[in-house]
C-alpha cells in the first residue's frame, strides 16, 4: 500500500503544469531526434544536459526521461517509412516494417509499431515501479562473464534472420565483427588494422557504418535504378491497425516485452540486443516464422515492444544501485550527480517523492508517446510526398551531417560514403547487410567483456561455464543456434535420403 500511496503522490506531482510540459517537450525532442537518420537521441540527451542545470533534479530527470522514451521509439519511424533505422535498436523494424510500407501499409505498420512500443514501455515502467528491488538484486549478480554471455546471445540471434542462407549471413556477421576490431585494443591499448593512419586508430563507429549502409546505400540504389522511394498507395482508403488487430498480436507483443525487460535490466545491454533477440525468438516460436522479413506483423511487433521495454528496465540499476544500464541512463546519472544527488538504495528513503515522480513520469511518457509518434510520423508522411530526387538529397545531407556529428570528424564522413557504396553493392548482389551492422555493434562489446572477464579470472577460460548465470545464458545461445539450424539440417538430411533411395532403385 505504501508503494501505491507514493505512486499516487508521484502522479500528482507529474501532472502539475510545469512538470507535465517538461515531459511533453522532452518526449517530442526524443521522437524527432530518434526519427532523423543519423541524429541519435543519446546525442540529443547529451546536448540537453546543460539545460538541466537551470532545473531542479526532478524536472531534469523528467526532461531527460521524456527524451529517452521518445527517442527509443522514434528511430522506428524512419526505419519503417524509408528503410533507414534512426537508432541501432530500430534495425529489426526495417526487416518487416519497411516491407509493409512497400505494400502500401505504412499507416498500419506505424500503428502496430507505436502501440507495441507503448505497451512494452508501459509494462517496463510499471516493473520499474513495483519490482525495482528484486530486479536490482538479480542485476547485482552480473559481472563481465554474464555480460559476455548476454552479448553472445545477441550475436547468435543473427541466425534467426538468415532464412535459407545461414553461411552467407554468418560471413556478413563476421565481417562486421572484424570491422568492429579496427582501432585501439580495449585491454592492451595497441592499435589494430590502422595501417599507420591516425584517424583509423580511433576506430570505426557503428553509427557511421549504419548510416552508410542503409541511408547512403539506399539512395545510391535509388539513383542507379531510377526507383521511386515513395511507398505505394494502398488499394482503397489507408487504414491503421484496429484494436482487434492489435489484440491478435498480443503474443508477440507480450513475448517481446518480457525479453526487453529481462535484457534491459542488465547494465550495459541496452535496447539493441533486446530488439534483436526478441526478433530471433519470435521467428522461432511464431507459426509464420519462415515468412519473417516479408512484412509479417508479428516480426514488427515483437522487437518494437522489446526495445521500449528496455527503457524502464534500464533505469532499475540506475536508481537502485547507481549503475547506468545504458548510454542514455549514464547521461541521466550525470544529471543527478550534477545536482548533488547520488542514486542508490538510500535514495528511496531520503527522497521517495522524487523517485516516484520519475516512475509516474515514465508511465505518462509511454502513454503520451502514442500521440507524439503519430504526429511525427505524419510529418514524415508529408516529407515522403516530395519528389524522389529531392527526398534522396535530403537523406544524403542529413546522413552526412549525422555522420560528422558523431565525433565532429570529417573522416567519419568519408567512411560513411565508403560504406554507402558497399551497402549498394551488397544490395545488388543480395548479400545481407543487417548482420554486418549487428557484428559492428555487438562485436566490440563481446570482445571487451571477454577480455576483461579472462583478465579478472587470471586467464581462467572456464569462468564462463563455472558461473551459473553465464553458463545458462551460453547454453541458451547454443540451444538457440541448434534450434535455428534444425530446419536446414532436416531438409539436407531429407534430400540425401531421397538421393540415396534413387540410387538404390537404380
Amino acid at each position: 500500500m505504501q508503494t501505491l500511496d507514493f505512486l499516487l503522490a508521484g502522479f500528482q506531482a507529474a501532472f502539475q503544469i510545469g512538470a507535465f510540459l517538461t515531459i511533453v517537450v522532452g518526449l517530442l525532442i526524443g521522437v524527432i531526434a530518434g526519427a532523423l537518420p543519423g541524429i541519435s537521441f543519446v546525442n540529443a540527451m547529451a546536448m540537453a544536459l546543460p539545460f538541466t542545470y537551470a532545473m531542479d533534479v526532478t524536472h531534469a530527470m523528467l526532461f531527460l526521461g521524456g527524451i529517452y522514451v521518445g527517442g527509443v521509439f522514434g528511430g522506428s519511424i524512419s526505419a519503417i517509412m524509408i528503410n533507414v533505422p534512426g537508432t541501432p535498436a530500430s534495425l529489426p523494424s526495417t526487416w518487416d516494417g519497411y516491407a509493409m510500407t512497400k505494400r502500401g501499409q505504412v499507416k498500419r505498420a506505424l500503428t502496430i509499431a507505436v502501440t507495441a512500443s507503448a505497451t512494452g514501455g508501459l509494462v517496463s515502467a510499471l516493473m520499474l515501479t513495483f519490482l525495482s528491488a528484486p530486479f536490482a538484486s538479480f542485476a547485482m549478480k552480473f559481472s563481465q562473464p554474464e555480460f559476455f554471455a548476454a552479448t553472445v546471445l545477441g550475436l547468435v540471434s543473427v541466425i534467426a534472420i538468415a532464412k535459407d542462407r545461414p553461411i552467407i549471413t554468418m560471413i556478413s556477421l563476421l565481417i562486421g565483427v572484424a570491422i568492429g576490431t579496427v582501432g585501439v585494443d580495449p585491454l592492451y591499448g595497441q592499435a589494430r588494422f590502422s595501417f599507420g593512419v591516425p584517424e583509423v586508430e580511433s576506430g570505426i563507429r557503428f553509427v557511421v557504418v549504419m548510416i552508410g549502409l542503409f541511408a547512403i546505400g539506399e539512395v545510391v540504389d535509388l539513383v542507379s535504378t531510377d526507383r521511386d522511394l515513395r511507398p505505394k498507395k494502398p488499394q482503397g482508403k489507408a487504414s491503421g491497425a484496429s484494436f482487434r488487430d492489435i489484440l491478435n498480436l498480443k503474443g508477440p507483443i507480450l513475448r517481446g516485452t518480457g525479453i526487453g525487460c529481462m535484457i534491459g535490466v542488465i547494465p550495459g545491454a541496452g535496447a539493441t540486443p533486446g530488439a534483436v533477440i526478441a526478433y530471433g525468438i519470435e521467428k522461432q516460436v511464431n507459426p509464420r516464422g519462415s515468412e519473417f522479413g516479408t512484412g509479417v506483423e508479428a516480426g514488427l511487433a515483437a522487437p518494437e515492444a522489446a526495445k521500449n521495454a528496455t527503457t524502464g528496465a534500464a533505469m532499475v540499476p540506475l536508481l537502485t544501485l547507481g549503475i547506468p544500464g545504458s548510454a542514455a541512463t549514464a547521461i541521466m546519472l550525470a544529471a543527478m550527480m550534477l545536482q548533488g544527488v547520488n542514486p542508490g538504495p538510500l535514495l528511496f528513503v531520503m527522497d521517495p517523492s522524487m523517485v516516484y515522480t520519475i516512475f509516474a513520469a515514465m508511465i505518462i511518457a509511454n502513454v503520451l508517446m502514442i500521440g507524439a509518434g503519430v504526429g511525427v510520423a505524419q510529418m514524415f508522411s508529408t516529407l515522403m510526398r516530395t519528389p524522389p530526387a529531392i527526398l534522396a538529397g535530403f537523406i544524403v545531407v542529413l546522413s552526412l551531417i549525422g555522420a560528422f556529428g558523431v565525433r565532429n570528424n570529417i573522416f567519419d564522413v568519408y567512411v560513411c560514403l565508403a560504406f554507402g557504396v558497399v551497402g549498394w553493392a551488397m544490395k545488388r548482389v543480395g548479400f545481407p547487410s543487417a548482420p554486418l551492422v549487428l557484428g559492428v555493434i555487438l562485436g566490440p562489446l563481446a570482445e571487451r567483456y571477454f577480455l576483461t572477464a579472462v583478465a579478472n579470472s587470471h586467464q581462467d577460460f572456464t569462468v564462463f561455464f563455472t558461473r551459473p548465470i553465464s553458463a545458462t545464458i551460453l547454453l541458451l545461445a547454443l540451444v538457440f543456434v541448434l534450434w535455428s539450424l534444425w530446419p536446414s539440417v532436416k531438409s539436407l538430411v531429407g534430400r540425401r535420403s531421397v538421393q540415396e533411395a534413387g540410387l538404390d532403385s537404380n
Side-chain angles (χ1 to χ4, degrees):
M1 286 299 295
Q2 188 179 32
T3 300
L4 291 176
D5 292 338
F6 281 137
L7 183 61
L8 180 60
F11 273 113
Q12 292 176 343
F15 275 118
Q16 292 181 0
I17 296 297
F20 185 75
L21 289 178
T22 300
I23 297 171
V24 172
V25 171
L27 186 66
L28 289 174
I29 292 174
V31 174
I32 294 172
L36 294 176
I39 310 298
S40 169
F41 73 92
V42 176
N43 291 339
M45 291 181 69
M47 289 186 288
L49 185 60
F51 294 95
T52 64
Y53 297 162
M55 306 177 185
D56 61 65
V57 64
T58 302
H59 282 73
M61 293 297 289
L62 300 188
F63 183 49
L64 294 176
I67 298 177
Y68 183 26
V69 171
V72 172
F73 164 72
S76 299
I77 295 177
S78 56
I80 292 171
M81 299 189 71
I82 59 176
N83 200 31
V84 181
T87 62
S90 300
L91 179 60
S93 300
T94 62
W95 301 330
D96 285 281
Y98 185 62
M100 293 180 66
T101 295
K102 290 193 293 185
R103 293 204 303 259
Q105 297 179 323
V106 59
K107 188 174 181 181
R108 185 179 183 86
L110 287 170
T111 303
I112 292 172
V114 71
T115 306
S117 294
T119 302
L122 184 60
V123 171
S124 73
L126 293 173
M127 183 203 75
L128 170 68
T129 304
F130 296 102
L131 301 176
S132 290
F135 269 86
S137 300
F138 176 72
M140 279 291 288
K141 299 177 182 179
F142 273 69
S143 187
Q144 301 303 315
E146 286 75 25
F147 297 152
F148 169 75
T151 308
V152 168
L153 183 60
L155 282 169
V156 302
S157 297
V158 75
I159 299 176
I161 61 173
K163 296 183 180 179
D164 56 345
R165 300 185 299 168
I167 296 178
I168 294 178
T169 302
M170 291 303 296
I171 292 174
S172 178
L173 174 69
L174 293 175
I175 291 174
V177 173
I179 293 172
T181 63
V182 174
V184 177
D185 182 276
L187 188 62
Y188 301 104
Q190 296 295 318
R192 302 175 302 187
F193 307 112
S194 62
F195 304 103
V197 181
E199 291 85 355
V200 180
E201 291 183 1
S202 59
I204 297 177
R205 296 294 187 267
F206 66 82
V207 176
V208 177
V209 175
M210 187 178 70
I211 294 172
L213 285 177
F214 290 98
I216 304 298
E218 186 75 23
V219 169
V220 173
D221 184 67
L222 166 70
V223 175
S224 63
T225 59
D226 195 26
R227 178 170 53 88
D228 194 343
L229 192 63
R230 291 173 290 188
K232 295 179 181 179
K233 292 183 178 180
Q235 299 293 331
K237 185 179 179 180
S239 61
S242 65
F243 177 76
R244 182 181 294 275
D245 295 330
I246 299 298
L247 198 61
N248 290 335
L249 294 171
K250 61 181 181 299
I253 292 175
L254 291 177
R255 283 189 289 270
T257 299
I259 293 168
C261 288
M262 289 188 292
I263 297 296
V265 78
I266 302 173
T272 303
V276 174
I277 292 173
Y279 185 90
I281 292 178
E282 187 61 34
K283 181 177 172 66
Q284 300 305 313
V285 304
N286 196 283
R288 298 183 62 190
S290 60
E291 303 175 33
F292 273 34
T294 62
V296 180
E297 295 174 352
L300 173 63
E304 282 295 318
K307 68 184 179 67
N308 268 78
T310 63
T311 55
M315 293 189 67
V316 172
L318 170 68
L319 294 175
T320 59
L321 305 173
I323 302 174
S326 63
T329 53
I331 295 174
M332 299 175 77
L333 173 63
M336 296 181 74
M337 297 185 71
L338 287 172
Q339 299 279 359
V341 176
N342 293 315
L346 290 178
L347 186 63
F348 287 75
V349 178
M350 302 297 295
D351 197 354
S353 61
M354 183 194 75
V355 173
Y356 282 90
T357 301
I358 295 173
F359 292 166
M362 293 291 289
I363 296 173
I364 295 170
N366 279 284
V367 174
L368 294 178
M369 185 179 66
I370 297 177
V374 170
V376 175
Q378 185 62 41
M379 180 185 71
F380 265 72
S381 297
T382 303
L383 177 66
M384 293 294 288
R385 297 192 186 101
T386 60
I390 298 177
L391 182 61
F394 174 80
I395 294 174
V396 169
V397 171
L398 193 62
S399 299
L400 295 182
I401 292 174
F404 179 80
V406 172
R407 293 183 296 182
N408 293 328
N409 191 338
I410 192 64
F411 176 75
D412 287 335
V413 175
Y414 301 146
V415 172
C416 178
L417 292 172
F419 274 100
V421 177
V422 172
W424 167 76
M426 294 175 70
K427 189 179 184 71
R428 296 305 296 269
V429 301
F431 200 84
S433 57
L436 187 150
V437 176
L438 294 175
V440 177
I441 295 172
L442 299 179
L445 289 177
E447 180 191 23
R448 183 166 66 249
Y449 294 144
F450 177 82
L451 293 175
T452 307
V454 171
N456 291 341
S457 62
H458 306 290
Q459 308 302 316
D460 181 11
F461 291 90
T462 64
V463 66
F464 303 103
F465 308 102
T466 55
R467 295 173 65 96
I469 297 178
S470 62
T472 301
I473 297 175
L474 290 174
L475 179 62
L476 287 174
L478 178 62
V479 171
F480 189 68
V481 170
L482 296 177
W483 190 11
S484 302
L485 292 178
W486 173 244
S488 300
V489 174
K490 186 177 180 180
S491 176
L492 179 62
V493 172
R495 287 199 301 268
R496 286 186 176 179
S497 300
V498 171
Q499 291 175 355
E500 291 175 358
L503 291 175
D504 292 340
S505 64
N506 292 332

